[in-house]
Amino acid sequence: MGIDAGGTFMIGGDRPVHRMGFGAMQLPGPAVWGEAKDPQNPGRVLGRARELGIDLIDTAEAYGPEVNERQIRSALSPFPQDLLIATKCGLFRSWPKGADYPDMRPNGAPAELRKSTEGSLKRLGVERIDLQQLHRVDPAVPIEDSVGELARLRSEGKIRHIGLSEVGIEEIERARAVVPIATVQNKYNVADRAYEPVLAHCEKHGIGFMPWFPMGGGRVRSNAVVTRIAARHGALPAQVALAWLLKRSKNVLLIPGTASVSHLEENVAAADLELSVEDMRDLESAE
């Protein structure tokens, strides 16, 4: 069945997408900085994602920075009507001299979010962003002010739906008092369920939940329960982790990322992995 096995979800109540999507974060250079070492690779990966039926691609202004949005436009524009591009604003990255890795700082000032959104529109080559997500809540700016600016951009026709990232229930409700929230993107996987209450809240209110770091890295690959179930199914531990998320909640939208075509194919194959009631019960102890 391929990607269809994972089912679909209606973002914002009016935009259907397959629940198995793709996170494009890894397509820029090392440390998600600069251009890809192989300039042809982003196109190969994105093209294969579309061949596999993926119609939800997640990116951000911070990825590159700005590089990832341009890669997506170069590979896939003009975008077909069924393809939803989700991007993010409000998190800025720089590489201080002498540092080993870029730093990150949130900036939720309305003027900065407007500037970022206008930039994403140009880089993606679109008149409206399907899903614009506040990448991080800025502790120096009330969330009402940040999402209020996104709401104004929405009323101007520049944004279709609005999402949040790394938020708790209180922040979601404060934002929802200003504008409808279509999605929440928080860290969540079989070995890290700190945001379980947020997932339950999203289910209650029809909000799509997009777990980042969905495969959990080494913590999942070395988990005895996960590896035992993977062996039982002839699958990879990462595939079990993705299959668990798909079965855990109908509101989950997966966006596993990779810069490898073969890894992409492995991730999509997880939609066909049918976990039993016993598997799901065992995985409850996999944290």
Side-chain angles (χ1 to χ4, degrees):
M1 292 180 65
I3 197 170
D4 291 330
T8 60
F9 181 83
M10 192 77 71
I11 290 181
D14 67 0
R15 189 64 192 270
V17 294
H18 286 93
R19 294 173 59 222
M20 175 64 79
F22 174 66
M25 176 182 176
Q26 299 300 328
L27 295 179
V32 197
W33 191 270
E35 301 293 340
K37 286 186 175 181
D38 177 357
Q40 303 304 315
N41 189 61
R44 286 194 294 267
V45 175
L46 289 163
R48 183 58 178 146
R50 287 295 291 157
E51 290 174 353
L52 292 168
I54 286 174
D55 52 18
L56 169 61
I57 295 177
D58 180 75
T59 182
E61 177 188 38
Y63 301 161
E66 303 182 358
V67 170
N68 201 209
E69 291 175 326
R70 291 196 296 267
Q71 290 173 328
I72 291 169
R73 178 181 182 179
S74 177
L76 301 177
S77 181
F79 301 128
Q81 289 188 348
D82 73 309
L83 179 60
L84 188 152
I85 305 294
T87 191
K88 295 184 281 295
C89 61
L91 184 68
F92 297 88
R93 300 171 75 230
S94 61
W95 202 316
K97 186 176 181 180
D100 294 328
Y101 198 80
D103 66 4
M104 299 184 293
R105 58 177 179 84
N107 189 335
E112 289 297 325
L113 299 183
R114 177 171 287 270
K115 180 181 177 181
S116 294
T117 299
E118 297 282 4
S120 291
L121 287 166
K122 292 178 181 178
R123 288 185 293 274
L124 290 169
V126 297
E127 295 182 355
R128 181 174 65 176
I129 293 171
D130 292 320
L131 176 61
Q132 176 65 295
Q133 304 157 94
L134 182 63
H135 207 157
R136 289 292 186 275
V137 176
D138 185 344
V141 180
I143 191 171
E144 291 85 354
D145 292 352
S146 297
V147 298
E149 187 64 22
L150 296 182
R152 283 186 283 275
L153 288 160
R154 182 173 180 257
S155 69
E156 295 167 15
K158 296 177 180 178
I159 293 173
R160 182 170 185 170
H161 292 300
I162 295 169
L164 305 172
S165 181
E166 284 301 282
V167 288
I169 292 173
E170 180 185 357
E171 291 166 320
I172 294 171
E173 287 307 291
R174 287 172 60 189
R176 289 180 69 229
V178 177
V179 68
I181 297 300
T183 60
V184 166
Q185 186 172 152
N186 282 10
K187 184 181 180 182
Y188 183 80
N189 56 63
V190 68
D192 185 347
R193 307 179 203 180
Y195 280 115
E196 191 85 34
V198 173
L199 173 56
H201 192 73
C202 289
E203 291 173 331
K204 179 179 178 180
H205 295 284
I207 298 170
F209 186 84
M210 304 166 72
W212 63 267
F213 201 45
M215 293 175 283
R219 187 175 173 189
V220 167
R221 287 193 299 270
S222 62
N223 185 282
V225 176
V226 175
T227 54
R228 183 175 70 249
I229 292 172
R232 185 187 305 164
H233 288 274
L236 298 170
Q239 291 175 319
V240 171
L242 293 176
W244 177 80
L245 284 165
L246 285 173
K247 195 158 185 174
R248 169 64 187 80
S249 171
K250 295 296 184 183
N251 285 58
V252 164
L253 301 168
L254 291 184
I255 48 168
T258 181
S260 161
V261 168
S262 61
H263 191 197
L264 168 67
E265 293 169 344
E266 290 172 355
N267 292 342
V268 171
D272 280 320
L273 184 57
E274 296 184 11
L275 298 178
S276 66
V277 173
E278 179 185 1
D279 291 333
M280 293 298 289
R281 185 174 60 247
D282 290 347
L283 286 166
E284 285 301 310
S285 65
E287 287 187 84

